[in-house]
Amino acid sequence: MNKQIELDIPRALGACPVINSSEAVILLTPGVTGLIAGAVQDADEWIAFLEGQRLDGGWVTMVTGLAVPEQTRSRANADIGVTNLPKNCVGIIHSHNNMKAYFSGTDSGVGGVNEFPCSVVVSTQAETDEEIAMGF
């Protein structure tokens, strides 16, 4: 069942100074946040497609689910090869198990994160207050 999400964007975003200074926003449902927080603890890297909808002219991405494609995983990388995207794919997320959350040279290569309108990297390697505040 495909349900339309009702969201008051100005009210949802208005209280956060970090969000207010950003050019775009990614909103995660609590269920998706829980899945990511658990999965980031995995010793191997992983990749998932972000499912949901783009709102506010594309500046807001509402993520309501994850689709995990078949993949080859290791402590150093994850690879999905050639795969079909889910119909409601709004981006991609992957983990760095032993590195900080940033777009590495491998991530930014051909077929990497630049191929998606929304790309996220998560990691447990946090040092700054902002990284720690994310919770994973």
Side-chain angles (χ1 to χ4, degrees):
M1 177 168 77
N2 192 359
K3 173 172 99 170
Q4 183 69 23
I5 296 173
E6 298 295 325
L7 183 66
D8 182 352
I9 300 293
R11 187 175 64 81
L13 306 181
C16 180
V18 174
I19 289 175
N20 285 330
S21 66
S22 300
E23 292 185 23
V25 177
I26 303 168
L27 301 173
L28 307 171
T29 63
V32 170
T33 302
L35 289 171
I36 295 168
V40 76
Q41 304 299 322
D42 194 312
D44 289 337
E45 293 194 7
W46 51 264
I47 300 170
F49 295 116
L50 303 172
E51 296 180 309
Q53 50 188 305
R54 302 206 30 147
L55 308 166
D56 198 27
W59 294 105
V60 175
T61 300
M62 179 61 159
V63 179
T64 57
L66 299 174
V68 181
E70 187 173 322
Q71 55 196 272
T72 304
R73 303 170 55 223
S74 72
R75 294 184 73 78
N77 69 351
D79 183 20
I80 58 174
V82 177
T83 188
N84 293 325
L85 297 177
K87 187 172 115 179
N88 58 344
C89 181
V90 293
I92 192 166
I93 184 170
H94 77 279
S95 68
H96 282 175
N97 69 330
N98 61 2
M99 300 185 303
K100 292 180 73 169
Y102 71 97
F103 295 114
S104 69
T106 301
D107 299 338
S108 300
V110 174
V113 298
N114 295 331
E115 305 294 322
F116 295 89
C118 174
S119 298
V120 178
V121 180
V122 293
S123 173
T124 59
Q125 307 300 314
E127 295 175 4
T128 67
D129 289 342
E130 291 82 5
E131 293 168 342
I132 293 168
M134 290 296 293
F136 47 82

